[in-house]
Amino acid sequence: MLRISAFKERQLKVAANSEGAAAGVANNPEAMNIDDNASLLLPFTPVAPLPSSLTAIQEWEGYVTEIHETSFEASLMDVTRGMRYETEKAELLISDLSSEDRERLSVGAIFRWVIGYQTHRGMRQRVSQVYFRKMPDWSMVELAAVSKRADELLESLGLT
Amino acid sequence: MTPPDNDEIELSLFGPGFGECVVVHAGSSHWAIIDSCIDAANGVPASLYYLHQMALDPKVAVKMVMVTHWHDDHIRGISKVLRACTCAKLVIPSAILTRDFVRAVVEADEKTVSANSSGVHEIRAVFESEQMRNNPVLAGENQIVWSISAADLAHATPFELRALSPSGQQTLSMWRRIGKDFAAAKGRRLPQAGSNDLSIATWMTTAGEAVLLGADLEVHADPTCGWTPVINLAQQLPGTKAAVFKVPHHGSPTGHDPAVWQFMLQPNALSILTPWTRGSGLPRAEDLVRIRQFTNHAYATNLNQMVAVARRDPVVSKTLRDLNIRLEPAEGKLGHVRLRKKPGAPWAVDLFGPASRFSP
């Protein structure tokens, strides 16, 4: 049985409060009756909620694979279709990132890419936005909980 | 899909372009699964779907599951495989069962802010599986990890699977070499460079034949790591030189050691490989040319057939066109190279999906 970490519990609370959160739909090969408990536990959730004025039509979660002078390449997981693995790739422009996100750009960095409509003062505009994940501020309690889970696993493996 | 006869050996290689999996039939319904990859067509581990196609129950049929190393592409879906193969013995590299690595895996899994079922998540699931509590086999250099006596097999020849790596030196130095990758990751996707030499290459002997499965083992400057210690073992290995070779690391030059072909393989060994469709891709054209210099019998699970990019809402498609962003597939179609033989008979090769022969 997979546990939900303290951090991921926090993500779920954020998602519950967020209008813009996407409810991930898990692949579930019922026809083969394969136990797929893992897919039921963790719907896709952002660290920070989307602006309430943004209606997403398409979302990917991606991670950076290569960085060039003016662009970066990424592997993409189609969250809208409920994928759990990367099946696509693309090259995106660094100039399209906010200055904050440019600082977060590094190989392996995880981001969300949303295409949708943003409404502002009654005007509707089609947008494409990339949000890099902010590294969470881990509380001492959360860090201790992670360490405890690691200790429990080590003990069960006889590695204490 | 018909299952093999009880006295028939089978080696099936699956590879979609990200990931690979080997399914072995030792005879008399004794099956083994080595690594795991996902069939993008149904989201199911390729090994389990294949057994399902043959109406075989993995709970009963699969006696051994091996994880050759912890990289994403070799363990995608392994947690599902372990949950399905409840009677299977688990084999993992001895090098990864250390306090430092296990702790780092838990921390990296908890801190990676992603919904992706990553390699770290999967390897944690391996550590947390029931099979880990049931005396797993910790594989290292020149160690028998699975054997079946001739009396238990319809073809009346013994079956043996022997780990050839990682070497003792690699096991000792493992954390020193990959620990900094974990420390630097800090919530990002972990890089996978630098630890292929910790993977388990295996030597299979049965029915008078030997098979060399190269996993992702690479050549290494340090002669105590990579292929060199394996080649040095060659003279101690049972059986003759191998008639079948799973080419390591997707045919890349980093996995190629000509001494393997010279000392461990029969001339024109039947060679099989899986592609790698990320980055600039493997095998490259020059890799295929190189392999063809050593054998006339070379097959790949997929050389160029990708899963089509999904059709999307016209608004999304127009937005991508306006931004001049081209989505490309990162996943290939699942190809399957199947080898079957009975004692005294040659290997029969069958190709499924985009699998093809790339030698004359």
Side-chain angles (χ1 to χ4, degrees), chain A residues 1-8 11 27 29 31-32 34-38 42-45 47 57-58 60-61 63 66 73 75-78 81 83-93 96 104 106-110 113 115-117 126-128 133-136 138 143 145-151 153-154 156-157 159-160, chain B residues 18 38 40 42-45 48-50 52 72 76-77 79-80 83-84 96-100 102-103 106-107 109-118 121-122 124-125 127-128 132-133 185-191 277-280 306-313 315-316 318-320 322-331:
Chain A
M1 174 72 177
L2 292 180
R3 301 180 189 87
I4 303 179
S5 69
F7 175 66
K8 282 173 178 162
Q11 279 186 294
N27 286 330
M32 287 186 57
I34 287 182
D35 177 9
D36 198 11
N37 284 338
L42 299 173
F44 174 78
T45 55
V47 172
I57 303 171
Q58 172 67 50
W60 292 271
E61 180 179 291
Y63 70 93
E66 269 185 76
E73 294 179 57
S75 282
L76 301 170
M77 176 173 73
D78 188 338
R81 287 169 64 221
M83 301 303 289
R84 293 296 303 276
Y85 305 104
E86 294 86 16
T87 56
E88 293 167 316
K89 54 187 179 182
E91 190 169 351
L92 306 175
L93 289 177
D96 286 348
R104 298 191 188 108
S106 59
V107 173
I110 296 168
W113 180 20
I115 292 177
Y117 286 102
R126 182 159 41 98
V127 297
S128 164
R133 297 281 191 179
K134 292 177 190 170
M135 291 300 116
W138 289 86
L143 288 172
V146 170
S147 185
K148 184 165 180 279
R149 274 192 281 275
D151 287 338
L153 180 56
L154 285 166
S156 73
L157 294 173
L159 289 174
T160 47
Chain B
F18 186 83
I38 296 285
N42 53 41
V44 171
L48 297 183
Y49 189 69
Y50 179 52
H52 170 76
D72 278 4
R76 191 179 263 189
S79 52
K80 290 184 187 176
R83 284 200 295 273
I96 68 171
L97 196 62
T98 67
R99 289 173 53 90
D100 288 329
V102 172
R103 179 175 292 280
V106 173
E107 291 178 357
D109 179 45
E110 301 249 351
K111 290 179 183 176
T112 302
V113 284
S114 170
N116 178 293
S117 188
S118 70
H121 187 69
E122 292 275 15
R124 181 180 178 179
F127 289 145
E128 291 178 339
M132 274 303 293
R133 282 145 191 75
K186 290 183 184 168
R188 291 186 289 267
R189 284 291 291 266
L190 276 161
T277 52
R278 303 294 166 94
S280 46
M306 303 301 286
V307 174
V309 169
R311 290 173 66 89
R312 290 200 162 84
D313 185 296
V315 171
V316 175
K318 185 172 188 326
T319 306
L320 293 171
D322 291 346
L323 294 170
N324 202 24
I325 293 174
R326 194 158 161 246
L327 281 178
E328 292 181 7
E331 197 81 350

Side-chain angles (χ1 to χ4, degrees), chain B residues 80-93:
Chain B
K80 290 184 187 176
V81 172
L82 288 173
R83 284 200 295 273
C85 303
T86 50
C87 294
K89 202 74 172 165
L90 175 63
V91 179
I92 61 171

Side-chain angles (χ1 to χ4, degrees), chain A residues 53-143:
Chain A
S53 57
L54 176 56
T55 305
I57 303 171
Q58 172 67 50
E59 291 185 55
W60 292 271
E61 180 179 291
Y63 70 93
V64 178
T65 53
E66 269 185 76
I67 300 175
H68 305 294
E69 201 176 323
T70 58
S71 66
F72 64 96
E73 294 179 57
S75 282
L76 301 170
M77 176 173 73
D78 188 338
V79 175
T80 303
R81 287 169 64 221
M83 301 303 289
R84 293 296 303 276
Y85 305 104
E86 294 86 16
T87 56
E88 293 167 316
K89 54 187 179 182
E91 190 169 351
L92 306 175
L93 289 177
I94 295 175
S95 55
D96 286 348
L97 303 178
S98 68
S99 53
E100 249 185 10
D101 279 342
R102 279 181 225 184
E103 286 173 18
R104 298 191 188 108
L105 181 64
S106 59
V107 173
I110 296 168
F111 63 89
R112 199 153 55 93
W113 180 20
V114 180
I115 292 177
Y117 286 102
Q118 188 147 28
T119 309
H120 180 65
R121 292 186 180 178
M123 288 183 58
R124 201 170 183 233
Q125 186 178 17
R126 182 159 41 98
V127 297
S128 164
Q129 293 188 347
V130 172
Y131 303 90
F132 272 80
R133 297 281 191 179
K134 292 177 190 170
M135 291 300 116
D137 294 323
W138 289 86
S139 70
M140 293 302 294
V141 170
E142 284 168 329
L143 288 172

